Amino acid sequence: MSAGTPGILLVLDGWGHAAAGEANALTAAATPYLDGLLATCPTVLADASGTAVGLLPGTVGNSEIGHMVIGAGRPIPYDSVLVQEEISSGRMRSNEALTEVLKGLAASGGALHLIGLCSDGMIHANVQHLQELLRIAAQFAVPRVRVHAITDGRDVADHTAAAYLGLVDTFFAEAGIGEVATVVGRGYALDKSGNLELTEKVSLAIVDGKGEAISEPQEALELTQRGDEWVPPCVVTSADGRPLGAVQDGDAILFTNFRSDRIQQLADDLHTWLAGRRVTFLSLAQYDTKASIPALVHRSDAGGGLATVLGAQGVRSVRIAEAEKFEHVTYYLNGRDSNVVPVEEHVRITGDRAPDYTVRPAMNIDRVTEAVISAARRDDVPLVVANLANIDVVGHTGHFDATRQAAEHTDRAVEAICGAAQATGRWVLLVGDHGNAEKMLTDATDGDGWPYGGHTTNPVPAVLVPAAGQKAATPAGPATLADIAPSVLALLGLAPEPRMTGRPLW
Ligand SMILES: O=C(O)[C@H](O)COP(=O)(O)O
Ligand SMILES: [Mn+2]
Ligand SMILES: [Mn+2]
């Protein structure tokens, strides 16, 4: 192993690879600098979805698993997979935490409230899990199950919420139990920016039955001006105007999202609202809530990765990202470990927030770029890790032209960062964490596809821009995100952790 060269690991969030076409906002963008790098630098396409990273076969990648695997250097069995195994094997039926609560409800006459994202986007939740949970509730003779349905339109195509609510109805019919009590869009229910005004509206609907009164769940979908994501908090009421499913003492709440980051603000808020009341809380997978909520399924250990080696060797790294992706280059990249080693520095870029990302596709990329360049100029920092969020965050709007512009801003930022890297003797390793902006339309079955802002199963480019005078060949053979940590370590002249299964690409 050579002496090692300092570098920059630059994650281009949502930077997937697909052939040019009318759905591809990345190839439609004028990105001369990135095009030049892809044509002249050692490049490989890395698998960032499905089993290669620890997801179920064919499942789209996401920012959490993407950054965890980039950091861990091995696939990490993700929460969705662990939950799925419990359900498919039938083990969920004898899950101790669940069955204890269900027996209690059967004895006391309390209701079970299921709160979660109602789609099969497989990033935060899978609506199919409700089917088994309803069957189990029926088996334990729970008197009532109330579903608080969060509509999606972000991980799946917009205007699909009606179909998912219809599917939930078939689960009710099959299990012989269950009713939808509230309906609300994920824009309100899954805010993670700390905007408690949004969250409290949802808590108010769930706890007190206050919101837009509807008599059928599907009526909620007529009340949104901005698609499934922004369905206002709606409460199903009976003929006498009383809410069907407000939470009562003696009830239990089970959150059905398997991913924590977006449901945890609501979970904490509900926990605070219901403090002192006799309500039991459970979550399908383990959450990072302030409140301690027992989980039905525990998460995988994602430690023993890049951060472990850097910490043990005393190698300083600076982690830089906009607020939207800050946890990704810190907590998730470090294997969901919130203990920061002393040689690690964090720079969280905040700035003006546009109410709608299509209005300002540049986001705060200039500030991220400045922070990366100033860290790159420091001799005491062998590794800078940064995330450029624009392609993914703007891509999620499903707005083709804004996403094209996001890619153009990213191109200019990468040029500036690579310029600074050349001047400071650093390599730059560019990699996507999952696909997004290379597919902005759903697959067309007849006629044109619909706008699509979700992630994809496409591979992501991994490109090494060598330091001045550094030699690097194009890697042969297949690659995955698990190869990134061993590559970074090899470039820094460090040995991989024994648990890493990826291989150095350079
Ligand atoms: O939470 C979100 O914004 C999307 O559902 C998934 O996007 P992420 O995995 O990039 O955070
Ligand atoms: Mn991402
Ligand atoms: Mn995303």
Side-chain angles (χ1 to χ4, degrees), residues 13-14 61-67 78 117 121 123-124 152 154-156 186 190 192 229 259 261-262 324-325 328 392-393 396 433-436 453-455:
D13 213 295
N62 69 70
S63 295
E64 283 192 9
I65 192 71
H67 286 78
Y78 194 55
L117 188 65
I123 289 183
H124 293 275
D152 191 344
R154 181 173 168 99
D155 296 335
V156 294
R186 62 179 283 168
L190 301 187
K192 64 169 181 179
E229 223 179 320
R259 174 162 139 178
D261 72 333
R262 282 194 178 273
E324 279 80 350
K325 301 291 174 185
H328 298 96
D392 181 63
V393 171
H396 276 299
D433 59 337
H434 53 77
N436 178 335
H455 294 174

Side-chain angles (χ1 to χ4, degrees), residues 390-471:
N390 307 59
I391 290 172
D392 181 63
V393 171
V394 183
H396 276 299
T397 64
H399 194 291
F400 188 91
D401 201 54
T403 310
R404 181 186 60 72
Q405 290 176 51
E408 292 173 359
H409 289 294
T410 304
D411 188 63
R412 289 189 281 274
V414 171
E415 181 171 12
I417 290 167
C418 288
Q422 286 298 303
T424 56
R426 289 175 185 269
W427 48 264
V428 182
L429 202 174
L430 292 150
V431 68
D433 59 337
H434 53 77
N436 178 335
E438 78 290 356
K439 183 181 194 296
M440 300 293 295
L441 292 173
T442 57
D443 293 325
T445 41
D446 46 0
D448 294 336
W450 291 89
Y452 175 69
H455 294 174
T456 71
T457 53
N458 287 321
V460 295
V463 185
L464 181 69
V465 187
Q470 190 180 22
K471 298 242 176 313

Side-chain angles (χ1 to χ4, degrees), residues 45-129:
L45 289 177
D47 208 339
S49 69
T51 51
V53 291
L55 297 169
L56 291 164
T59 307
V60 297
N62 69 70
S63 295
E64 283 192 9
I65 192 71
H67 286 78
M68 279 200 284
V69 174
I70 288 172
R74 65 182 194 277
I76 303 293
Y78 194 55
D79 309 62
S80 53
V81 175
L82 305 179
V83 167
Q84 191 58 51
E85 277 170 2
E86 288 301 297
I87 288 183
S88 312
S89 64
R91 282 196 299 270
M92 192 61 91
R93 289 174 176 247
S94 51
N95 182 289
E96 217 177 303
L98 179 63
T99 54
E100 196 185 310
V101 168
L102 297 186
K103 280 183 205 156
L105 294 174
S108 70
L112 175 66
H113 298 264
L114 300 176
I115 305 177
L117 188 65
C118 213
S119 80
D120 56 1
M122 294 305 291
I123 289 183
H124 293 275
N126 182 359
V127 66
Q128 295 287 346
H129 293 160

Side-chain angles (χ1 to χ4, degrees), residues 53 179 209 244 252 421 469 495:
V53 291
E179 283 161 303
L244 190 73

Side-chain angles (χ1 to χ4, degrees), residues 190-196 198 262 265 348 353:
L190 301 187
D191 176 72
K192 64 169 181 179
S193 73
N195 185 346
L196 287 178
L198 296 173
R262 282 194 178 273
Q265 190 171 306
R348 183 174 188 268
R353 292 264 160 270

